Amino acid sequence: MNFLRGVMGGQSAGPQHTEAETIQKLCDRVASSTLLDDRRNAVRALKSLSKKYRLEVGIQAMEHLIHVLQTDRSDSEIIGYALDTLYNIIANDEEEEVEENSTRQSDDLGSQFTEIFIKQQENVTLLLSLLEEFDFHVRWPGVKLLTSLLKQLGPQVQQIILVSPMGVSRLMDLLADSREVIRNDGVLLLQALTRSNGAIQKIVAFENAFERLLDIITEEGNSDGGIVVEDCLLLLQNLLKNNNSNQNFFKEGSYIQRMKPWFEVGDENSGWSAQKVTNLHLMLQLVRVLVSPTNPPGATSSCQKAMFQCRLLQQLCTILMATGVPADILTETINTVSEVIRGCLVNQDYFASVNAPSNPPRPAIVVLLMSMVNERQPFVLRCAVLYCFQCFLYKNQKGQGEIVSTLLPSTIDATGNSVSAGQLLCGGLFSTDSLSNWCAAVALAHALQENAIQKEQLLRVQLATSIGNPPVSLLQQCTNILSQGSKIQTRVGLLMLLCTWLSNCPIAVTHFLHNSANVPFLTGQIAENLGEEEQLVQGLCALLLGISIYFNDNSLESYRKEKLKQLIEKRIGKENFIEKLGFISKHELYSRASQKPQPNFPSPEYMIFDHEFTKLVKELEGVITKAIYKSSEEDKKEEEVKKTLEQHDSIVTHYKNMIREQDLQLEELKQQVSTLKCQNEQLQTAVTQQVSQIQQHKDQYNLLKVQLGKDSQHQGSYSDGAQMNGIQPEDIGRLREEIEELKGHQELLQSQLAEKDSLIENLKSSQTSPGANEQSSTTASAGDSEEVAELKQELATLKSQLNSQSVEITKLQTEKQELLQKTEAFAKSVPVSGENETVTAAKTTDVEGRLSALLQETKELKNEIKALSEERTAIKEQLDSSNSTIAILQNEKNKLQMEITDSKKEQDDLLVLLADQDQKIFSLKNKLKEFGHPV
């Protein structure tokens, strides 16, 4: 307040004195009047004075106006007047400032009044609560006032809103207001609110801002809309730029798919108004925000894939190849397509397949390269095409190979009907336009970036210089142009191409050194004392010579590493050489090019360095410096260490291959073990069934035994022939049926034992089949030894059960024999009286008939029991053969266990050997680090 009073005091007195008194009286009325109408009229009068007498009204009335906002909320009219007055005080009206030629202090009135207003945070909270009022005369001036506060002191007001309960949510409701004026000003308010504040950006995004903004853009007509579309796009940029969380939310919410209709401009070209150009420019920038190279690689890649899947990339390529598109939109579209395909192989492959609508159709890449090497095209367009070509080749070895292949003799079109990308690059490389030379050299260098195969392939390229002269290689032609003293931009481009070509490619270094004129030219360039303009060329020549030393494989006797270093020391001096090498990274344009991949230069003179080349310089500068200072002995030691490392690497590779093969064998053995487990489970199931059936057989035998015992008791106590005739035949029939059932069960048991024997034979074959493979047998026996032991135990149990059955069958035979003896004794003991001789004779005849039948049936039972005994003997023999098989398997298991022990010892020896090798490699790597060689 004291500052403002000082400003007021510094102004000229006179007419303002009367207005100051008027303002004071109005403030007194606002403060003391009890009638609402009086206060309303006073506030309205202050509003009318606030624009012209901003300072006086601000000093005297601000406190009263805030009090009105607090106490008179029930009257929307006075609240609206108060908000309008505060807005006039705080907002900077640029037109009035120009007309009145205000001093610097009065220009800062807005920020000073804003500071006074937000000093009490409750004032901002009060303003946020007033925005909930639906009345137009309250909400609209409230939106304007809060927007003005954010423009004056954005960070402080943002912090107050951030800590206010539901502060951001209240502001988001403005986007849903049906009155377009409030909705549009709400978009401007959110622009100021979200500027450079990640926390608020996240809250706004999760309050469904993307959905609402995209709906507004669609309602307004997409790119054909007015300034409202522009404001929404600016707000979307605020929310997405450098905010990975919001970018991911935007992608996951499928909002990328809703961007595709923005770029459906149509072929009729109904007109390109200034607003449409602005809107489309912002839309393209929004796409670039999502796929910017500065974003995390994973987020960029997912957005690139989504843009391809929803055909957004295809729509952009349609604009790219369309006619009548304004130059700045075409340039921005090229830059956008560049970043959508950068590092994404699927998108790069699609872009390679795009053809321009010409007759005959030409690839889009060729059409773009024609613009790049055409000096009549705008500079920014040529830069955009170069960036597009670089992005197409970025991490795209397939595309690199296709570009280089267009330069090889076998693929060049002999008819000359079509122009290839390689021919355009060569034409630009050797044209008279230095900018075309630089662009073509950098583009060709990107075709070789981190691709040793294409560096070697490019050595095959031959150029016809003139009629009658033999062709020269592309490498030689580049050095010839260097020696002719062309423009600096041309020489810098060629030197960057040669440095990229020779790095990490000893064969290319050998080809370069094979020309005896190259090394003297480089040393002569470095040794001369030239002006500042030539220092960069000297530094690049030093880098090229250093690469020729560092990546030299000593295949040329006259240009071995040691001889080249002696030449540098004699002709240039090591310190002088290192100083010239440092000119590159100290250049003022070097740091600028190293910041972003996009070649963005204000004018052609600034087009000196390429972004990828700055990475190469940073990587090689240190190692070349160390290589220059190394002695011959250190070089020899380094070569020996390299050879040793190569040998150890080959040994380690050999053992790795062995271990890989063993892993495969282990997988096969695991499969075999699983198969054996399945077979064992089947065998256990079969044995379980046999045990249950034997138990059933035993129960049936016990039942038969009980019934035979009853029959013998009846026959022993029979004293009446008629009583014996009523019981004996039924018991014998039942006995015959039960013996038949016993025989059937015995046959079933025999068949089951035969199945068990076949399963044992299968187990034996599966155990012995991997015997040819030592480790396989070891693993199989180790895995199934317990299962074989269990099988042996189960077979022994079965054998004991069969023995017990055989004992019971013997008992049955004994009991039957006793039954026969009792029957004969009973026949002899029947009394015969003389008085009843006829009756007795008849009974005797009947008994003898029945006895003969009984004897016959008993004989048949003996035969059946004999057959059962023979079957038992056969089963016993089969069990014995099974036991012998188990013994053989046990011996084989013991052998396999011995082989497992030997194999484990061999593996332990192998691990010890590998540990020794790793220790040797570690020590050798330490030696290499001591010698300065990168590991």
Side-chain angles (χ1 to χ4, degrees):
M1 293 293 289
N2 292 333
F3 166 76
L4 296 174
R5 293 182 187 279
V7 173
M8 182 179 176
Q11 294 183 353
S12 59
Q16 292 185 356
H17 182 68
T18 305
E19 279 74 14
E21 292 178 353
T22 304
I23 293 170
Q24 182 61 48
K25 290 179 181 179
L26 292 172
C27 291
D28 292 340
R29 285 177 61 188
V30 172
S32 60
S33 179
T34 57
L35 294 176
L36 179 60
D37 290 340
D38 290 344
R39 295 198 303 274
R40 186 189 304 120
N41 292 332
V43 174
R44 183 167 53 219
L46 287 172
K47 173 189 171 184
S48 62
L49 294 171
S50 58
K51 285 190 176 180
K52 189 173 182 180
Y53 302 103
R54 178 183 177 191
L55 178 62
E56 293 81 355
V57 175
I59 291 173
Q60 299 185 47
M62 179 175 283
E63 185 177 349
H64 301 295
L65 293 171
I66 294 173
H67 184 70
V68 167
L69 297 178
Q70 294 172 343
T71 58
D72 292 327
R73 292 191 59 174
S74 59
D75 186 72
S76 60
E77 192 173 356
I78 191 173
I79 294 294
Y81 292 148
L83 291 172
D84 283 332
T85 307
L86 288 172
Y87 172 74
N88 293 336
I89 295 171
I90 290 174
N92 287 327
D93 193 336
E94 297 179 359
E95 294 181 359
E96 288 188 3
E97 289 178 4
V98 174
E99 291 175 1
E100 296 178 2
N101 295 321
S102 304
T103 62
R104 183 176 180 182
Q105 288 181 336
S106 61
D107 288 340
D108 201 35
L109 282 178
S111 62
Q112 294 293 331
F113 283 129
T114 302
E115 188 175 355
I116 294 171
F117 185 84
I118 68 173
K119 189 173 183 180
Q120 298 294 328
Q121 295 188 7
E122 295 81 4
N123 295 338
V124 179
T125 306
L126 174 63
L127 183 56
L128 290 173
S129 65
L130 289 173
L131 291 179
E132 294 182 344
E133 297 290 337
F134 186 74
D135 193 301
F136 180 83
H137 298 288
V138 176
R139 180 173 274 197
W140 188 41
V143 170
K144 294 194 296 182
L145 176 58
L146 186 56
T147 305
S148 181
L149 292 174
L150 286 164
K151 289 180 179 178
Q152 297 291 347
L153 294 175
Q156 294 91 322
V157 180
Q158 285 173 341
Q159 192 59 33
I160 296 173
I161 295 176
L162 191 61
V163 299
S164 299
M166 300 296 290
V168 179
S169 299
R170 293 172 181 173
L171 301 181
M172 287 300 301
D173 293 337
L174 299 174
L175 295 181
D177 200 303
S178 59
R179 295 160 292 192
E180 290 189 2
V181 176
I182 295 179
R183 184 199 68 184
N184 298 344
D185 282 351
V187 174
L188 297 176
L189 170 60
L190 291 173
Q191 277 185 28
L193 178 65
T194 57
R195 189 171 291 117
S196 304
N197 192 307
I200 293 180
Q201 290 169 2
K202 292 179 182 178
I203 296 174
V204 171
F206 282 94
E207 288 285 347
N208 208 22
F210 294 139
E211 184 77 27
R212 296 183 183 181
L213 291 173
L214 292 173
D215 287 342
I216 294 174
I217 292 174
T218 303
E219 292 170 5
E220 295 292 327
N222 294 329
S223 60
D224 294 321
I227 195 170
V228 178
V229 173
E230 178 183 347
D231 293 336
C232 290
L233 291 170
L234 289 172
L235 177 54
L236 284 171
Q237 283 194 17
N238 281 356
L239 295 175
L240 292 173
K241 196 169 186 178
N242 299 323
N243 194 318
N244 299 329
S245 174
N246 283 1
Q247 289 175 7
N248 186 60
F249 181 68
F250 191 84
K251 179 186 70 68
E252 295 296 335
S254 300
Y255 296 120
I256 292 178
Q257 288 80 340
R258 296 188 60 179
M259 298 170 70
K260 180 178 177 289
W262 295 355
F263 305 102
E264 295 175 355
V265 295
D267 296 331
E268 66 276 3
N269 291 328
S270 56
W272 291 88
S273 63
Q275 187 62 55
K276 180 174 182 178
V277 171
T278 302
N279 290 345
L280 202 55
H281 201 274
L282 290 172
M283 290 171 176
L284 291 169
Q285 287 182 347
L286 192 63
V287 175
R288 294 184 64 185
V289 165
L290 295 171
V291 293
S292 172
T294 58
N295 293 343
T300 299
S301 176
S302 59
C303 288
Q304 288 173 331
K305 293 177 182 177
M307 289 177 183
F308 176 77
Q309 292 169 356
C310 73
R311 300 189 64 81
L312 176 60
L313 173 60
Q314 292 84 329
Q315 195 64 44
L316 292 174
C317 291
T318 302
I319 298 177
L320 194 66
M321 294 291 105
T323 56
V325 179
D328 53 347
I329 293 297
L330 180 60
T331 302
E332 190 64 22
T333 303
I334 294 173
N335 288 327
T336 305
V337 171
S338 304
E339 293 183 352
V340 172
I341 68 174
R342 187 177 189 269
C344 182
L345 191 58
V346 176
N347 294 3
Q348 289 167 337
D349 289 342
Y350 170 77
F351 184 70
S353 66
V354 175
N355 288 323
S358 59
N359 191 14
R362 289 178 175 174
I365 297 174
V366 173
V367 176
L368 292 175
L369 288 178
M370 292 172 69
S371 301
M372 186 186 75
V373 298
N374 187 352
E375 55 185 307
R376 289 174 293 184
Q377 292 291 341
F379 173 67
V380 290
L381 179 63
R382 299 174 74 181
C383 291
V385 173
L386 176 61
Y387 184 45
C388 185
F389 191 74
Q390 292 174 348
C391 292
F392 169 66
L393 297 179
Y394 182 71
K395 293 184 178 179
N396 183 8
Q397 293 192 352
K398 178 183 176 183
Q400 290 175 326
E402 291 174 352
I403 297 299
V404 173
S405 66
T406 59
L407 285 166
L408 300 178
S410 59
T411 58
I412 294 177
D413 187 3
T415 61
N417 292 331
S418 62
V419 180
S420 66
Q423 291 171 337
L424 288 171
L425 290 177
C426 279
L429 196 61
F430 305 124
S431 72
T432 56
D433 178 28
S434 60
L435 185 58
S436 296
N437 301 152
W438 191 92
C439 291
V442 170
L444 199 54
H446 276 261
L448 306 176
Q449 200 77 37
E450 298 180 358
N451 196 328
I453 296 176
Q454 302 310 323
K455 290 178 182 179
E456 297 177 8
Q457 288 291 322
L458 201 63
L459 295 172
R460 298 170 49 201
V461 177
Q462 299 290 321
L463 302 175
T465 54
S466 59
I467 300 175
N469 293 330
V472 297
S473 66
L474 177 61
L475 182 65
Q476 184 58 46
Q477 185 65 14
C478 292
T479 56
N480 291 342
I481 296 175
L482 276 177
S483 61
Q484 293 172 3
S486 52
K487 293 181 181 180
I488 290 181
Q489 193 173 41
T490 300
R491 284 183 286 163
V492 168
L494 290 172
L495 285 168
M496 287 195 298
L497 171 60
L498 290 173
C499 290
T500 305
W501 195 347
L502 269 59
S503 63
N504 293 294
C505 186
I507 298 177
V509 171
T510 303
H511 278 72
F512 179 76
L513 296 176
H514 191 71
N515 187 352
S516 58
N518 289 339
V519 174
F521 167 74
L522 292 178
T523 54
Q525 287 286 316
I526 300 169
E528 290 183 9
N529 291 321
L530 303 174
E532 293 184 1
E533 294 182 353
E534 294 291 334
Q535 285 183 351
L536 177 58
V537 176
Q538 287 184 311
L540 292 171
C541 289
L543 178 65
L544 183 57
L545 186 57
I547 290 173
S548 301
I549 294 173
Y550 185 73
F551 294 104
N552 193 342
D553 59 359
N554 294 327
S555 58
L556 292 178
E557 185 63 30
S558 56
Y559 291 108
R560 296 174 64 85
K561 285 185 179 181
E562 187 59 32
K563 291 185 178 181
L564 289 174
K565 288 195 285 188
Q566 291 175 359
L567 182 63
I568 290 175
E569 188 171 7
K570 192 178 298 183
R571 293 281 306 276
I572 305 170
K574 291 183 178 180
E575 290 75 11
N576 190 26
F577 179 86
I578 300 303
E579 182 183 358
K580 297 291 177 69
L581 183 62
F583 285 161
I584 303 175
S585 56
K586 293 177 182 177
H587 197 278
E588 57 182 354
L589 298 177
Y590 175 86
S591 59
R592 180 172 182 171
S594 63
Q595 292 174 0
K596 292 183 179 180
Q598 182 181 0
N600 189 11
F601 305 103
S603 62
E605 301 84 49
Y606 291 89
M607 187 176 268
I608 297 296
F609 286 108
D610 173 56
H611 176 75
E612 292 296 329
F613 180 73
T614 60
K615 292 182 180 179
L616 183 66
V617 172
K618 186 177 180 180
E619 176 186 347
L620 294 180
E621 187 176 5
V623 295
I624 288 175
T625 301
K626 292 180 181 179
I628 294 298
Y629 282 110
K630 279 182 183 177
S631 63
S632 58
E633 295 181 356
E634 291 176 340
D635 282 339
K636 290 179 181 179
K637 289 182 180 179
E638 183 178 341
E639 290 180 1
E640 292 177 358
V641 170
K642 281 185 178 180
K643 290 180 180 179
T644 307
L645 274 178
E646 290 176 357
Q647 293 176 356
H648 285 293
D649 288 342
S650 64
I651 294 174
V652 171
T653 304
H654 173 67
Y655 282 119
K656 284 182 179 178
N657 292 333
M658 287 180 59
I659 292 173
R660 193 176 295 110
E661 291 176 359
Q662 291 178 353
D663 288 338
L664 295 175
Q665 293 175 357
L666 284 175
E667 289 297 328
E668 293 177 358
L669 292 174
K670 287 180 180 178
Q671 293 178 358
Q672 293 178 2
V673 168
S674 63
T675 304
L676 290 174
K677 284 183 177 179
C678 293
Q679 294 177 354
N680 185 37
E681 289 175 359
Q682 295 175 357
L683 185 61
Q684 288 179 349
T685 304
V687 170
T688 304
Q689 293 176 353
Q690 291 172 359
V691 170
S692 62
Q693 291 172 357
I694 289 173
Q695 183 64 37
Q696 293 176 0
H697 196 182
K698 183 178 179 181
D699 295 339
Q700 292 172 356
Y701 171 76
N702 291 332
L703 180 61
L704 178 62
K705 178 181 177 182
V706 171
Q707 291 174 348
L708 290 174
K710 289 180 179 180
D711 290 341
S712 63
Q713 288 178 1
H714 281 301
Q715 290 176 356
S717 61
Y718 232 171
S719 59
D720 191 357
Q723 189 178 5
M724 185 193 73
N725 293 338
I727 296 174
Q728 185 69 25
E730 295 177 357
D731 291 341
I732 293 174
R734 190 183 299 111
L735 179 63
R736 181 185 300 169
E737 291 175 357
E738 289 174 352
I739 290 177
E740 286 292 333
E741 289 178 0
L742 179 63
K743 182 178 179 181
H745 284 296
Q746 288 285 2
E747 290 175 353
L748 179 62
L749 178 61
Q750 185 177 1
S751 63
Q752 290 174 351
L753 285 176
E755 291 177 359
K756 176 183 67 61
D757 290 340
S758 64
L759 288 175
I760 292 173
E761 289 296 327
N762 291 335
L763 178 61
K764 180 181 176 182
S765 61
S766 63
Q767 287 283 357
T768 56
S769 61
N773 188 327
E774 176 180 317
Q775 190 169 357
S776 172
S777 300
T778 303
T779 310
S781 64
D784 293 331
S785 59
E786 295 182 359
E787 296 173 357
V788 171
E790 292 175 358
L791 178 61
K792 181 178 178 181
Q793 184 176 359
E794 291 172 354
L795 290 175
T797 304
L798 181 61
K799 180 180 177 181
S800 63
Q801 291 175 352
L802 290 175
N803 290 333
S804 63
Q805 186 185 16
S806 125
V807 171
E808 291 173 350
I809 290 172
T810 305
K811 290 181 179 178
L812 178 62
Q813 290 176 346
T814 305
E815 290 174 354
K816 295 301 295 181
Q817 187 66 31
E818 292 175 356
L819 178 60
L820 290 173
Q821 292 176 0
K822 289 180 179 180
T823 303
E824 293 174 356
F826 176 76
K828 293 179 180 180
S829 62
V830 174
V832 181
S833 63
E835 298 174 354
N836 299 320
E837 183 177 353
T838 305
V839 176
T840 302
K843 289 183 178 180
T844 301
T845 304
D846 184 62
V847 168
E848 288 177 353
R850 292 184 179 278
L851 282 178
S852 63
L854 181 61
L855 289 174
Q856 183 64 30
E857 289 174 355
T858 302
K859 186 182 294 184
E860 291 176 357
L861 286 175
K862 285 183 179 180
N863 294 332
E864 290 174 355
I865 291 172
K866 182 179 180 181
L868 289 176
S869 177
E870 292 174 354
E871 289 174 356
R872 181 184 62 79
T873 304
I875 291 172
K876 184 176 180 181
E877 291 175 356
Q878 290 176 355
L879 285 175
D880 293 337
S881 64
S882 298
N883 290 334
S884 64
T885 302
I886 291 172
I888 294 171
L889 290 175
Q890 185 65 30
N891 293 332
E892 291 177 351
K893 183 196 74 170
N894 295 334
K895 291 180 182 180
L896 291 175
Q897 286 177 346
M898 294 177 63
E899 291 172 353
I900 256 181
T901 306
D902 297 337
S903 178
K904 286 182 178 179
K905 289 181 181 179
E906 291 176 359
Q907 289 181 354
D908 292 338
D909 296 339
L910 179 60
L911 290 174
V912 171
L913 179 58
L914 284 175
D916 293 339
Q917 294 294 338
D918 288 338
Q919 187 63 31
K920 289 179 181 179
I921 290 171
F922 181 76
S923 62
L924 290 172
K925 285 182 178 178
N926 290 334
K927 289 182 181 180
L928 279 176
K929 289 179 181 178
E930 292 173 1
F931 294 147
H933 191 276
V935 178

mmCIF file of all heavy atoms in Angstrom, residues 29 120 301 332 392 398 410 545 575 635 714:
data_model
loop_
_atom_site.group_PDB
_atom_site.id
_atom_site.type_symbol
_atom_site.label_atom_id
_atom_site.label_comp_id
_atom_site.label_asym_id
_atom_site.label_seq_id
_atom_site.Cartn_x
_atom_site.Cartn_y
_atom_site.Cartn_z
ATOM 1 N N ARG A 29 -19.711 5.341 1.286
ATOM 2 C CA ARG A 29 -21.083 4.863 1.113
ATOM 3 C C ARG A 29 -21.129 3.336 1.096
ATOM 4 O O ARG A 29 -22.027 2.718 1.671
ATOM 5 C CB ARG A 29 -21.669 5.422 -0.184
ATOM 6 C CG ARG A 29 -22.060 6.895 -0.103
ATOM 7 C CD ARG A 29 -22.550 7.382 -1.457
ATOM 8 N NE ARG A 29 -23.730 6.639 -1.894
ATOM 9 C CZ ARG A 29 -24.265 6.758 -3.112
ATOM 10 N NH1 ARG A 29 -23.707 7.554 -4.011
ATOM 11 N NH2 ARG A 29 -25.342 6.048 -3.433
ATOM 12 N N GLN A 120 -4.259 -12.437 1.318
ATOM 13 C CA GLN A 120 -5.197 -13.220 2.121
ATOM 14 C C GLN A 120 -5.738 -14.342 1.227
ATOM 15 O O GLN A 120 -6.517 -14.091 0.300
ATOM 16 C CB GLN A 120 -6.335 -12.331 2.626
ATOM 17 C CG GLN A 120 -5.897 -11.204 3.532
ATOM 18 C CD GLN A 120 -5.335 -11.722 4.849
ATOM 19 O OE1 GLN A 120 -5.766 -12.762 5.346
ATOM 20 N NE2 GLN A 120 -4.370 -10.992 5.405
ATOM 21 N N SER A 301 6.882 -45.274 -28.198
ATOM 22 C CA SER A 301 6.635 -46.440 -29.047
ATOM 23 C C SER A 301 5.164 -46.851 -29.018
ATOM 24 O O SER A 301 4.574 -47.163 -30.063
ATOM 25 C CB SER A 301 7.523 -47.605 -28.594
ATOM 26 O OG SER A 301 7.246 -48.763 -29.332
ATOM 27 N N GLU A 332 5.280 -28.727 -41.448
ATOM 28 C CA GLU A 332 4.971 -29.288 -40.133
ATOM 29 C C GLU A 332 4.469 -30.729 -40.248
ATOM 30 O O GLU A 332 4.733 -31.568 -39.383
ATOM 31 C CB GLU A 332 3.931 -28.424 -39.430
ATOM 32 C CG GLU A 332 3.699 -28.778 -37.967
ATOM 33 C CD GLU A 332 4.934 -28.556 -37.109
ATOM 34 O OE1 GLU A 332 5.807 -27.767 -37.503
ATOM 35 O OE2 GLU A 332 5.022 -29.176 -36.023
ATOM 36 N N PHE A 392 13.432 -41.929 -40.791
ATOM 37 C CA PHE A 392 13.131 -43.164 -41.510
ATOM 38 C C PHE A 392 14.250 -44.191 -41.338
ATOM 39 O O PHE A 392 13.994 -45.407 -41.254
ATOM 40 C CB PHE A 392 12.919 -42.849 -42.992
ATOM 41 C CG PHE A 392 12.851 -44.074 -43.866
ATOM 42 C CD1 PHE A 392 11.808 -44.985 -43.763
ATOM 43 C CD2 PHE A 392 13.851 -44.342 -44.793
ATOM 44 C CE1 PHE A 392 11.754 -46.112 -44.561
ATOM 45 C CE2 PHE A 392 13.805 -45.465 -45.591
ATOM 46 C CZ PHE A 392 12.754 -46.364 -45.473
ATOM 47 N N LYS A 398 16.991 -52.417 -42.106
ATOM 48 C CA LYS A 398 16.382 -52.805 -43.379
ATOM 49 C C LYS A 398 16.316 -51.613 -44.329
ATOM 50 O O LYS A 398 16.685 -51.704 -45.512
ATOM 51 C CB LYS A 398 14.991 -53.365 -43.122
ATOM 52 C CG LYS A 398 14.238 -53.764 -44.383
ATOM 53 C CD LYS A 398 12.831 -54.232 -44.047
ATOM 54 C CE LYS A 398 12.045 -54.541 -45.317
ATOM 55 N NZ LYS A 398 10.634 -54.929 -44.997
ATOM 56 N N SER A 410 24.437 -53.482 -59.277
ATOM 57 C CA SER A 410 23.461 -54.498 -59.680
ATOM 58 C C SER A 410 22.026 -54.000 -59.621
ATOM 59 O O SER A 410 21.131 -54.609 -60.189
ATOM 60 C CB SER A 410 23.603 -55.732 -58.785
ATOM 61 O OG SER A 410 23.396 -55.361 -57.430
ATOM 62 N N LEU A 545 41.690 -38.399 -39.030
ATOM 63 C CA LEU A 545 42.994 -39.057 -38.916
ATOM 64 C C LEU A 545 43.054 -39.916 -37.651
ATOM 65 O O LEU A 545 43.626 -41.016 -37.657
ATOM 66 C CB LEU A 545 44.107 -37.998 -38.915
ATOM 67 C CG LEU A 545 45.537 -38.518 -38.936
ATOM 68 C CD1 LEU A 545 45.782 -39.425 -40.139
ATOM 69 C CD2 LEU A 545 46.535 -37.361 -38.948
ATOM 70 N N GLU A 575 50.471 -32.520 -28.863
ATOM 71 C CA GLU A 575 49.673 -31.516 -28.161
ATOM 72 C C GLU A 575 48.881 -30.668 -29.145
ATOM 73 O O GLU A 575 47.702 -30.358 -28.932
ATOM 74 C CB GLU A 575 50.568 -30.620 -27.298
ATOM 75 C CG GLU A 575 51.176 -31.288 -26.080
ATOM 76 C CD GLU A 575 52.333 -32.214 -26.456
ATOM 77 O OE1 GLU A 575 52.766 -32.158 -27.631
ATOM 78 O OE2 GLU A 575 52.784 -32.992 -25.591
ATOM 79 N N ASP A 635 50.673 -50.582 -27.275
ATOM 80 C CA ASP A 635 49.852 -51.085 -28.376
ATOM 81 C C ASP A 635 50.018 -52.585 -28.540
ATOM 82 O O ASP A 635 49.052 -53.322 -28.770
ATOM 83 C CB ASP A 635 50.230 -50.376 -29.676
ATOM 84 C CG ASP A 635 49.632 -48.982 -29.744
ATOM 85 O OD1 ASP A 635 48.648 -48.734 -29.026
ATOM 86 O OD2 ASP A 635 50.164 -48.145 -30.497
ATOM 87 N N HIS A 714 -24.630 -131.646 7.124
ATOM 88 C CA HIS A 714 -25.919 -132.258 6.797
ATOM 89 C C HIS A 714 -25.760 -133.741 6.473
ATOM 90 O O HIS A 714 -26.552 -134.579 6.900
ATOM 91 C CB HIS A 714 -26.564 -131.543 5.602
ATOM 92 C CG HIS A 714 -27.218 -130.250 5.979
ATOM 93 N ND1 HIS A 714 -28.234 -130.143 6.917
ATOM 94 C CD2 HIS A 714 -26.973 -128.987 5.550
ATOM 95 C CE1 HIS A 714 -28.599 -128.897 7.051
ATOM 96 N NE2 HIS A 714 -27.827 -128.175 6.222
#
